[in-house]
Amino acid sequence: MRPPLVLSIAGSESDGAAGVQADLKTFTALGSYGASAVTMVVSASPQGVRGVHPLPPEVVRSQIDAVSEELLLDATKIGSLGSAAVVAEVVAALRAHRERFGTVVLDPVMVSADGTALISAEGAAAIEHDLLPLVDVLVLTMRESAQLLRRAVATSIEEMREQALALVTKGPRSVLITGGSLPGDEVVDVLVHPGGTDLLRAQRIEGRALRGAGTTLSAALTAQLARIAEFDRAGELQEIGESGTDDDMPTIVASAREFVASATENAQDWRLSRTAGGHGPVNHLITLGKD
């Protein structure tokens, strides 16, 4: 007997709103056990990023190996990697023992919310050519999609769909592009998966407690997939990629989106910062029944 196990490979963000910290909070809130491999240390506050400090690639690989060699992982979430050298280490670890990592979700955090670059151009190219073929699910913003495809940022839902279809050809079974940058009262995310294309709609949530929402979405999705994989070990559900689960992707993504919406709505009255302005975190404590 054990809970679902999930590994987060991502940066550590000092204010706890995004990165590894948000991943681990989300995994716990959704009933999964979280492990981590830190790729960089980001000095961050609600006012923005003050500094990005990459870890040596061999240190990143050492953490990944220590976890994957011992823990029975059901899923792995990959976030900010920072450099082509770190991407290469992650790719090498996946290629060496792909079965150890379970379902792999990639959220290639390449630019912070305040516009700070979190990966080099060489690193982005390495993600496109080497990492995408190894992941099951790709979750990214409109800006990140455009960067990976070297296209202009989408200006419509149809262009988002075209970019998602283009990214599927590079390896992932499913691609989710979040549409929060499009104007309007409604947010539309585009999901392309083996069962087809779905447009997932939700009312836009206004406010300043939005930091970490994207990270939390991909972490929630990973936790849900880990639970499915863990159940599969008991013979209760089919593996990701078999006939039953691909068709469930819209439901799985919708559940993750609902968690993020609730976490965002329930953080709007929080006052965590000494200074006005900036962006506060979403509320990962909602499953505890507390504000």
Side-chain angles (χ1 to χ4, degrees):
M1 295 295 295
R2 63 171 177 82
L5 267 61
V6 189
L7 168 63
S8 168
I9 304 173
S12 169
E13 302 221 4
S14 55
D15 67 346
V20 164
Q21 286 86 341
D23 286 346
L24 295 180
K25 292 172 188 176
T26 304
F27 298 158
T28 300
L30 295 177
S32 294
Y33 181 93
S36 65
V38 176
T39 60
M40 66 180 75
V41 175
V42 181
S43 302
S45 78
Q47 304 300 324
V49 173
R50 300 187 182 187
V52 178
H53 313 280
L55 293 183
E58 63 271 18
V59 173
V60 178
R61 178 63 183 272
S62 177
Q63 296 173 82
I64 294 171
D65 288 347
V67 173
S68 64
E69 289 172 7
E70 294 296 332
L71 295 186
L72 299 171
L73 298 173
D74 295 300
T76 297
K77 181 198 164 181
I78 303 171
S80 54
L81 298 177
S83 69
V86 170
V87 175
E89 291 294 348
V90 172
V91 167
L94 289 174
R95 285 177 175 167
H97 299 286
R98 178 62 181 80
E99 73 284 355
R100 292 180 179 175
F101 294 88
T103 305
V104 177
V105 176
L106 173 62
D107 178 1
V109 183
M110 298 188 287
V111 181
S112 71
D114 67 355
T116 301
L118 296 177
I119 194 166
S120 64
E122 294 80 9
I127 288 174
E128 177 192 356
H129 297 295
D130 301 326
L131 186 53
L132 289 188
L134 301 175
V135 306
D136 297 297
V137 182
L138 175 63
V139 183
L140 70 175
T141 66
M142 295 164 61
R143 184 188 301 181
E144 290 162 349
S145 172
Q147 185 173 351
L148 283 179
L149 292 170
R150 294 180 296 282
R151 297 185 185 180
V153 177
T155 58
S156 67
I157 295 171
E158 181 55 33
E159 289 181 1
M160 289 172 61
R161 178 179 176 276
E162 291 173 358
Q163 292 193 12
L165 288 168
L167 288 166
V168 164
T169 66
K170 296 180 181 294
R173 293 185 63 81
S174 299
V175 173
L176 174 67
I177 300 180
T178 58
S181 297
L182 288 180
D185 295 333
E186 191 177 53
V187 175
V188 181
D189 297 344
V190 175
L191 171 66
V192 173
H193 59 105
T197 300
D198 286 81
L199 303 182
L200 305 174
R201 302 175 184 273
Q203 190 70 19
R204 186 181 300 275
I205 300 172
E206 301 293 347
R208 303 198 67 81
L210 299 171
R211 183 156 149 67
T215 299
T216 300
L217 173 64
S218 55
L221 174 58
T222 308
Q224 300 284 28
L225 292 170
R227 293 175 66 182
I228 290 174
E230 194 268 337
F231 287 144
D232 176 64
R233 293 180 189 277
E236 297 178 27
L237 288 176
Q238 298 182 32
E239 294 181 0
I240 300 297
E242 296 293 337
S243 59
T245 313
D246 282 331
D247 290 340
D248 290 338
M249 277 302 295
T251 302
I252 295 167
V253 174
S255 176
R257 293 173 87 243
E258 289 174 5
F259 177 80
V260 175
S262 181
T264 303
E265 290 172 350
N266 284 278
Q268 297 306 317
D269 293 331
W270 272 10
R271 295 294 180 267
L272 304 183
S273 180
R274 295 178 183 274
T275 57
H279 293 276
V282 301
N283 180 0
H284 297 94
L285 304 178
I286 53 174
T287 56
L288 300 180
K290 300 177 181 179
D291 313 293

